[in-house]
């Protein structure tokens, strides 16, 4: 695909492709829920748009909560250590929980959150990620719902950042070496 935005970034998934896939994921999650209630937990900040769109594609009696983590380090580098910056507002004990993330990369973040959440004994805990980079995995973890599986590339837009920028791009774009700033 050779579509470019006004900033000269290459588009990897268009907003239409994202919307279609998110609608499919929402329908699947709705079916799997079987009419039960759901707590959707978004991982700030990257999953904000995905949660906003996915939640509207899920037909359920639902509430939202958010957590935030940090992986010590800026840009494309991560040191491996995950820490919690913002905890859940409400307990998830006995609840059906859907943990919503933008990208499952090394798996460090979601492994950490899964372990933390399971301590509260939710009724069920499932993971939805918009993007998955299985070839980058360091921790053994898979999502229950995956939007798109992608190779080892760095993407930005639709919530995802490079050093906190580009989150507001409506499409998912490639972060190219020629475009570091
Ligand atoms: P993990 O802990 O390595 O699985 O990392 C997950 C987090 O790394 C995601 O929530 C993103 O914030 C960030 N991340 C990983 N790959 C990318 C990327 O290609 N673009 C932007 N952020 C990324
Ligand atoms: Mg993130």
């Amino acid at each position: 695909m050779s579509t470019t935005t006004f900033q000269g970034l290459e588009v990897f998934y268009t907003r239409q492709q994202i919307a279609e896939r998110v609608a499919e994921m929402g329908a699947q999650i709705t079916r799997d829920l079987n009419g039960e209630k759901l707590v959707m937990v978004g991982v700030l900040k990257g999953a904000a748009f995905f949660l906003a769109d996915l939640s509207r594609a899920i037909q359920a009696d639902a509430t939202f909560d958010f957590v935030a983590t940090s992986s010590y380090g800026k840009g494309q580098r991560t040191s491996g250590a995950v820490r919690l910056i913002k905890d859940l507002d409400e307990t998830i004990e006995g609840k059906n929980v859907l943990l919503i993330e933008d990208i499952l990369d090394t798996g460090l973040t979601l492994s950490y959150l899964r372990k933390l959440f399971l301590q509260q004994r939710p009724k069920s805990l499932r993971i939805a990620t918009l993007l998955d980079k299985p070839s980058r995995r360091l921790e053994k973890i898979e999502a229950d719902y995956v939007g798109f599986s992608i190779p080892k590339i760095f993407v930005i837009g639709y919530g995802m950042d490079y050093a906190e920028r580009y989150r507001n791009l409506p499409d998912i774009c490639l972060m190219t070496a020629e475009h570091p700033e």
Side-chain angles (χ1 to χ4, degrees), residues 43-47 101-102:
V43 184
L44 294 171
K45 305 166 190 164
E101 175 63 306
D102 53 358

Side-chain angles (χ1 to χ4, degrees), residues 1 3-19 49 53 130-131 148 154-161 165-175:
M1 196 191 310
T3 318
T4 51
T5 67
F6 65 94
Q7 285 156 307
L9 296 160
E10 192 182 330
V11 174
F12 201 67
Y13 289 114
T14 65
R15 63 202 79 180
Q16 291 85 357
Q17 288 173 311
I18 299 166
F49 296 150
D53 288 340
L130 180 60
L131 301 179
F148 303 102
F154 199 85
V155 292
I156 49 174
Y158 193 71
M160 290 167 283
D161 73 308
R165 296 172 61 201
Y166 307 108
R167 292 193 195 274
N168 59 322
L169 298 176
D171 307 297
I172 296 175
C173 300
L174 264 183
M175 183 85 220

Side-chain angles (χ1 to χ4, degrees), residues 35-109:
E36 292 202 28
K37 290 185 185 178
L38 184 65
V39 181
M40 303 186 203
V41 180
V43 184
L44 294 171
K45 305 166 190 164
F49 296 150
F50 180 43
L51 180 141
D53 288 340
L54 182 66
S55 64
R56 286 177 289 179
I58 297 172
Q59 287 162 37
D61 183 346
T63 58
F64 289 178
D65 207 337
F66 292 93
V67 291
T69 61
S70 173
S71 57
Y72 296 103
K74 283 209 169 84
Q76 302 188 15
R77 289 259 173 87
T78 174
S79 67
V82 180
R83 72 192 158 112
L84 196 68
I85 299 175
K86 188 220 164 287
D87 205 344
L88 292 163
D89 290 337
E90 304 278 343
T91 177
I92 52 169
E93 188 180 347
K95 308 267 178 67
N96 294 304
V97 177
L98 183 66
L99 181 50
I100 301 176
E101 175 63 306
D102 53 358
I103 306 188
L104 176 49
D105 187 25
T106 63
L108 290 163
T109 306

